[in-house]
Structures are given as C-alpha cells and as structure tokens.
C-alpha cells in the first residue's frame, strides 16, 4: 500500500512569491491533516480535513495560507504571498475514518525555504 | 508554558544501555498519548501508544501517569538503530467528547546510540 506522498520535496522561493504544496493521502483515508515545523520549534498542527470539509483550521497562522481538498482526495496548501517566517517543513498526515487518535501516517514533508 | 514538554537532550548512550525519556503535558483534557520516532530529515512515525496501565513492546516500555500528567518511554538494550529523535505526542478531547483529531507534539529528544 502506498504511503502519504507530498510534492514537492523541497521548494526555495523569494519573499512575496506564491507556493503550492500538494499532499496525496493513503487511499481511503478520510482524515487529512497539515502540520508544520519551523526551525527550532515543535511540529504544530495547521488544519484537519474530513473528506472535503475543513473540520478544524484553528492552527492556520493567517489568511496567507489557503488549504483545499476538492473531491476529498488530495489536498493543496497554498501560501500567498510567502514571508520569511513561513520557512519550515510542512508535513501532511492521514488516518482512516473514525480513527481520531494518534495513528496518523505522515508524509515525508515539503521543505520550504523563503528567501 | 508549552503544552508538551520533553527532556531537551541530546542523549548519547553506548549500545546496550537503558535510556529513559520523560514528558509532561499541561492540558488535563488530553485524551490519548503516543511516542513517535523521527529519523533525521524523515517524517514522524508512530512508535507506540501509551495506555494508563502501561504497555510494553519488545524493548520499549511506555508509562502514563494521568494524575501527574506525565508520560515516559524506556528503551532497554539500546541498539545503534534506535538513534533518532523521540517525540512525545498528545491528543486533546473535543467539546463533544471525542478527540479533536489534531496531535500536539513536544519538541523531541534526540538519542544517539554509540558502538
């Protein structure tokens, strides 16, 4: 079974540019989560989809971040315009329906560097 | 105060040593508890869940003390392959009694097992 995949693996952009990250969850997983780790800090929750609906977006830092999950399959996270403090590793995770616990499967992450 | 606090580390131990990781959490509504392992530049992976009665998986033993809001992980007979960062993770109970779904991570403790 394929795991969670993320694209791109790395992205280097300039301040003010736009970047779109993509996450493909494990097939059949209704729950999809985005997390972020900035340098020197702990991994922090951004938002949670159940199928195509946003269940919880309390962790989104500001309105420069927009997440979508059209059709309830893959998800995108767009940062527009990017700022220096957005640099970090963005992880996506998925879990099965009803499994609102810790057994989330993480993707390899997208390393974003904003210059 | 951080929601999940861990020993800062790093821990450098010889092969065969026993090593203990400690973690405290601040939110008494925390419902589920986990240890994740993260290898360098990789994604976090679930190592084990932590139950109130304590649980063991081979060389790994996890303990939970709800009264003290304290979680521990013990690794016996450590191997070179145990070298990684160990993340203490909790999951909060939602208003409706279910889990909120999102995970709250500690910063992690780096373990280095030397020959």
């Amino acid at each position: 079974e394929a795991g969670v995949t993320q694209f791109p693996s790395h992205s280097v952009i300039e301040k003010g540019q736009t970047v779109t990250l993509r996450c493909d969850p494990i097939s059949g997983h209704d729950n999809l989560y985005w997390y972020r780790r900035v340098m020197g800090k702990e991994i922090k929750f951004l938002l949670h989809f159940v199928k195509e609906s946003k269940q919880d977006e309390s962790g989104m830092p500001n309105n420069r971040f927009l997440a979508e999950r059209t059709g309830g399959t893959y998800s995108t996270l767009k940062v527009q315009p990017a700022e220096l403090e957005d640099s970090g590793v963005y992880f996506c995770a998925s879990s099965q329906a009803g499994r609102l616990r810790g057994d989330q499967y993480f993707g390899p992450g997208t390393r974003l560097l904003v210059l | 105060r951080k929601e999940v606090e861990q020993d800062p580390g790093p821990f450098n131990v010889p092969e065969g040593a026993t090593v203990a990781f400690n973690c405290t959490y601040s939110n008494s509504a925390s419902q589920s508890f986990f240890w994740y392992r993260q290898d360098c530049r990789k994604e976090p992976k679930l190592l084990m869940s932590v139950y109130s009665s304590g649980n063991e998986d081979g060389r790994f033993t996890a303990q939970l003390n709800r009264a003290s809001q304290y979680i521990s992980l013990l690794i016996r007979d450590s191997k070179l392959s145990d070298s990684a960062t160990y993340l203490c993770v909790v999951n909060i109970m939602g208003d409706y009694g279910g889990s909120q779904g999102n995970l709250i991570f500690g910063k992690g403790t780096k373990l280095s097992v030397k020959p």
Side-chain angles (χ1 to χ4, degrees):
Chain A
E1 179 184 274
V4 177
T5 57
Q6 292 187 245
F7 182 84
S9 58
H10 296 77
S11 180
V12 181
I13 60 172
E14 292 187 349
K15 177 182 169 180
Q17 289 186 319
T18 297
V19 62
T20 300
L21 314 181
R22 173 172 170 144
C23 168
D24 286 78
I26 292 172
S27 178
H29 281 193
D30 286 344
N31 292 300
L32 187 150
Y33 310 83
W34 284 98
Y35 293 87
R36 175 175 75 169
R37 184 170 199 163
V38 298
M39 187 174 291
K41 303 284 189 180
E42 64 273 19
I43 296 172
K44 287 209 163 178
F45 167 78
L46 296 178
L47 88 159
H48 171 202
F49 284 99
V50 178
K51 296 186 179 178
E52 67 275 8
S53 300
K54 290 177 186 173
Q55 178 76 17
D56 179 0
E57 50 184 332
S58 61
M60 294 287 262
N62 51 60
N63 59 10
R64 294 185 294 102
F65 289 75
L66 175 65
E68 294 180 326
R69 193 183 182 195
T70 307
T73 54
Y74 71 90
S75 173
T76 58
L77 178 65
K78 182 162 73 173
V79 185
Q80 179 183 32
E83 298 289 343
L84 300 179
E85 64 264 25
D86 300 332
S87 297
V89 183
Y90 290 76
F91 291 105
C92 175
S94 72
S95 67
Q96 292 177 327
R99 300 295 291 271
L100 296 180
R101 292 174 60 243
D103 41 357
Q104 298 179 14
Y105 297 86
F106 281 75
T110 293
R111 283 160 179 76
L112 175 65
L113 179 60
V114 183
L115 301 175
Chain B
R1 183 184 173 186
K2 293 237 181 255
E3 292 189 83
V4 178
E5 299 232 39
Q6 295 186 242
D7 289 340
F11 290 179
N12 297 305
V13 303
E15 265 187 298
T18 295
V19 59
F21 300 105
N22 302 313
C23 169
T24 56
Y25 58 94
S26 60
N27 193 328
S28 58
S30 298
Q31 180 186 36
S32 305
F33 310 89
F34 313 92
W35 285 99
Y36 271 70
R37 169 194 169 128
Q38 186 173 24
D39 292 285
C40 188
R41 299 186 69 78
K42 299 287 188 180
E43 69 273 21
K45 289 186 179 178
L46 179 64
L47 178 65
M48 58 196 303
S49 300
V50 188
Y51 303 115
S52 296
S53 54
N55 49 299
E56 189 173 305
D57 182 3
R59 298 181 294 108
F60 299 82
T61 301
Q63 297 277 354
L64 167 65
N65 184 322
R66 286 185 184 268
S68 304
Q69 296 184 190
Y70 170 86
I71 307 162
S72 67
L73 174 68
L74 188 75
I75 304 177
R76 292 182 301 279
D77 188 25
S78 53
K79 312 289 184 192
L80 297 177
S81 57
D82 294 333
S83 297
T85 295
Y86 289 82
L87 303 167
C88 179
V89 183
V90 307
N91 186 232
I92 304 293
M93 183 178 295
D95 291 339
Y96 54 90
S99 162
Q100 287 186 351
N102 52 294
L103 301 178
I104 301 171
F105 286 80
K107 281 184 74 171
T109 304
K110 186 174 179 180
L111 172 66
S112 216
V113 182
K114 306 291 187 185

